[in-house]
Amino acid sequence: MISIFRSAAEKSLSVQQLIDGQEMLVLVLVLVVVLQFEGTRGKIHLYHREGENVVLPCNSPSSYYLCSIINWLYNRDMSPHRTEVKNGKVDQSSSRASRLNLDNSCSLMINNITADDAGLYGCIPGSGFTIDGVFLNVLTISDADPTKEDFTLQCSLWRYGGLTSCPQKSFRWFDETGSELTSKNDDRSSRQRCFSSLTVKHQSDTNRRFTCQFVEGNEVKVEVQYTHHVIRQVHLYHRAGDEAVLPCNRPSSSDSCSSVDWIYQSNKNMNRKQEVHRGMVQSSPRSARMSLDRKCSLIINNITAEDVGRYSCGYNTDVYLNMMIISPSPTDADPAKEDFTLLCSLVRDGEFGSCPDKSFLWLDETGSELTGEDDEYKSGGQIGCVSYLTVNLQSSRRFTCQFVEGNKVKIEAHYGSEGPPASSPLSFIMLTLKITGLILMVGITVGIIRTRGRKKPQKDVNVHFAVDGDSVNYENDGERSAAAALY
């Protein structure tokens, strides 16, 4: 360590641009004298996890030294040192100045440490003949891709590049039960870090927690944990034009959607798009069809093929939207004039783009499965996620296509000139409405006829008077008042 700072000081003397004025030159000269007499107080090794706050001691009691004369130097790998604190003030030109500070004892505080903070730090108290060397070691653990069948965790101890290599078996791995994992790890060492890798078999049914320890002389210096969260996959199946509600699986304790972001990806090879940011739907060609409900679920109205894909709002849940389409081929075929072929397609995310064989079933209006061939139809089989059925001239027929997965019908679509099959609830409702309407029409007609039958015309009454040879006739014509006629 002494030679390290001696080298740094000598380079500071030879490279004038690294010397900031006369005070810095005096400081470096003092440092050279200090290092020549090896007046160091000792080496301090600190071990911390990435993200923690650390305090590097200066061992300079405030009653003896004023922090205004304290300087902190930093060296990563025997390269020229950097001055992080000069005369008690943090150098604002440093890329990490916002995370550095001095406490009342002139110790250097670093907030939210990263692997780049690892290295050797030196505290020089003004013109004193002592120097404190602090080695900061930072332990990190890599993230893993939870979608892969197997994934590898990597535990790294980042440190000063001038130290010797880490001894063998410096790392230990444990699972969530505390059992040591000894047969699956691989330890290695490079100039600025020692690291160990652990390959884990993916398990989709439960969360896993792994602990990495760095050990020195059978003493655990630092440890870090990684929790492998199982990503819950939700598959939704809808028909074109439906309204789809994509659940967010957000904790019930959350009161607002202001922290919710919805990310969309049409397939794994396409870029991800942010459809919702902090609870607000972002501008896009389909933003008018999107909204959030009170549970922060994403609602998409009148879905089309462009809505199919993978959605995520975080909270360890991915929602896959699948859509079924049934149509004649060609689309302008006239079922009343010619035979035609029905196409039943399941549009889905590219990651799940393939469909197992025999995933589609065709049914007629009686619920009978249509397989093979007869006088009225011919099954065209399945290619990928598309199934074909050729139908003879049967304009009044109705057909149902079902997508089946694991012996369970995920979704079905109907085609027919008279609507859905008679066995469906909608058909029952329509039939009931037709019968009700017919009964009302008959009842109204009968009522009108009866009402008119009760209005009988009055009998014609003619009254004849003869007075002194003249006669007067009174006639009743039913609608008009009696009129007198003189003869």
Side-chain angles (χ1 to χ4, degrees):
M1 180 193 72
I2 297 174
S3 62
I4 296 166
F5 281 110
R6 182 185 294 116
S7 174
E10 290 172 352
K11 291 181 180 179
S12 297
L13 288 171
S14 60
V15 183
Q16 291 297 322
Q17 61 268 28
L18 297 178
I19 302 174
D20 185 13
Q22 185 176 3
E23 293 182 359
M24 189 62 189
L25 177 60
V26 174
L27 173 62
V28 174
L29 291 174
V30 171
L31 176 59
V32 172
V33 175
V34 169
L35 296 178
Q36 285 178 344
F37 284 95
E38 299 184 359
T40 58
R41 293 186 175 186
K43 301 177 183 179
I44 301 174
H45 287 265
L46 299 180
Y47 298 85
H48 285 273
R49 290 180 292 270
E50 183 178 31
E52 292 184 336
N53 300 331
V54 302
V55 178
L56 309 182
C58 186
N59 291 329
S60 302
S62 57
S63 60
Y64 183 75
Y65 292 123
L66 296 175
C67 291
S68 60
I69 63 171
I70 292 296
N71 299 275
W72 275 96
L73 307 182
Y74 168 70
N75 193 283
R76 178 65 183 269
D77 55 1
M78 301 184 68
S79 59
H81 74 275
R82 296 204 307 262
T83 301
E84 299 291 350
V85 175
K86 180 182 177 182
N87 296 331
K89 295 183 178 181
V90 175
D91 183 2
Q92 295 302 313
S93 65
S94 172
S95 59
R96 50 184 179 159
S98 61
R99 297 188 292 114
L100 302 180
N101 201 358
L102 292 185
D103 64 10
N104 294 332
S105 62
C106 309
S107 296
L108 180 63
M109 298 185 296
I110 310 177
N111 296 323
N112 192 24
I113 62 171
T114 68
D116 293 334
D117 295 320
L120 173 60
Y121 295 79
C123 172
I124 303 177
S127 59
F129 288 86
T130 59
I131 181 173
D132 290 326
V134 182
F135 293 88
L136 177 60
N137 304 271
V138 181
L139 188 65
T140 66
I141 190 167
S142 66
D143 290 335
D145 187 347
T147 63
K148 292 183 178 180
E149 184 67 18
D150 298 336
F151 61 90
T152 299
L153 296 177
Q154 193 168 87
C155 184
S156 303
L157 185 73
W158 300 86
R159 56 189 197 144
Y160 174 65
L163 298 176
T164 58
S165 300
C166 295
Q168 291 292 321
K169 299 182 180 180
S170 297
F171 293 91
R172 295 176 184 172
W173 288 93
F174 299 88
D175 63 14
E176 62 274 0
T177 67
S179 301
E180 186 172 359
L181 308 175
T182 57
S183 60
K184 301 180 180 180
N185 59 314
D186 178 29
D187 296 353
R188 297 183 182 181
S189 182
S190 64
R191 185 177 179 185
Q192 292 184 356
R193 69 169 180 145
C194 308
F195 61 94
S196 178
S197 299
L198 179 71
T199 300
V200 182
K201 187 72 174 178
H202 178 64
Q203 296 182 353
S204 60
D205 58 341
T206 182
N207 293 339
R208 299 292 306 277
R209 187 178 71 251
F210 301 94
T211 300
C212 173
Q213 295 180 343
F214 179 76
V215 182
E216 203 172 63
N218 292 324
E219 179 185 356
V220 177
K221 294 297 184 178
V222 63
E223 69 177 26
V224 63
Q225 291 184 340
Y226 176 85
T227 301
H228 171 60
H229 295 285
V230 175
I231 301 299
R232 178 175 171 237
Q233 295 182 352
V234 177
H235 289 264
L236 299 181
Y237 297 85
H238 285 278
R239 288 176 289 270
D242 284 353
E243 176 186 273
V245 180
L246 283 57
C248 184
N249 197 32
R250 190 177 60 116
S252 58
S253 57
S254 302
D255 297 329
S256 172
C257 297
S258 60
S259 62
V260 170
D261 294 341
W262 273 99
I263 306 298
Y264 166 70
Q265 191 174 20
S266 59
N267 61 68
K268 62 181 179 181
N269 297 321
M270 300 296 292
N271 294 329
R272 306 178 74 190
K273 299 179 181 179
Q274 191 171 57
E275 300 291 351
V276 175
H277 179 56
R278 295 184 178 181
M280 301 294 293
V281 176
Q282 301 300 289
S283 177
S284 73
R286 54 190 186 137
S287 59
R289 296 187 290 112
M290 292 184 172
S291 62
L292 294 184
D293 65 11
R294 60 183 182 85
K295 295 182 179 180
C296 306
S297 298
L298 180 62
I299 302 175
I300 309 178
N301 296 316
N302 191 25
I303 64 170
T304 66
E306 71 173 356
D307 299 318
V308 170
R310 179 174 67 176
Y311 296 79
S312 175
C313 72
Y315 304 106
N316 305 319
T317 301
D318 285 344
V319 182
Y320 293 85
L321 180 58
N322 307 269
M323 189 184 73
M324 176 175 275
I325 302 174
I326 185 170
S327 62
S329 178
T331 55
D332 59 352
D334 186 354
K337 297 181 180 180
E338 57 185 300
D339 297 345
F340 62 97
T341 299
L342 291 176
L343 269 63
C344 184
S345 307
L346 185 73
V347 187
R348 63 191 323 185
D349 176 79
E351 185 176 347
F352 295 88
S354 61
C355 296
D357 291 337
K358 300 181 180 179
S359 298
F360 294 87
L361 298 177
W362 287 95
L363 308 175
D364 62 13
E365 62 274 6
T366 67
S368 300
E369 185 176 352
L370 305 178
T371 59
E373 179 180 1
D374 70 3
D375 294 337
E376 298 180 352
Y377 68 87
K378 178 181 178 181
S379 176
Q382 174 186 337
I383 300 178
C385 289
V386 181
S387 182
Y388 303 84
L389 182 71
T390 299
V391 181
N392 292 337
L393 183 59
Q394 294 288 336
S395 61
S396 62
R397 296 289 302 276
R398 294 185 298 275
F399 303 94
T400 299
C401 174
Q402 296 180 340
F403 177 74
V404 181
E405 199 169 58
N407 295 322
K408 182 178 180 181
V409 177
K410 295 296 184 178
I411 188 173
E412 64 180 27
H414 311 289
Y415 180 88
S417 59
E418 293 186 359
S423 58
S424 68
L426 180 58
S427 177
F428 176 78
I429 294 174
M430 294 299 296
L431 179 60
T432 303
L433 291 175
K434 289 180 179 179
I435 294 175
T436 303
L438 181 60
I439 294 174
L440 287 174
M441 291 179 63
V442 172
I444 292 173
T445 303
V446 172
I448 293 174
I449 293 174
R450 289 180 176 178
T451 301
R452 290 182 176 178
R454 286 195 296 267
K455 294 182 178 180
K456 296 181 179 180
Q458 297 181 9
K459 294 181 179 180
D460 293 336
V461 178
N462 296 324
V463 181
H464 177 77
F465 292 95
V467 180
D468 297 333
D470 295 325
S471 64
V472 178
N473 289 332
Y474 294 92
E475 299 179 354
N476 190 343
D477 62 3
E479 296 295 332
R480 294 174 295 175
S481 299
L486 298 178
Y487 295 96

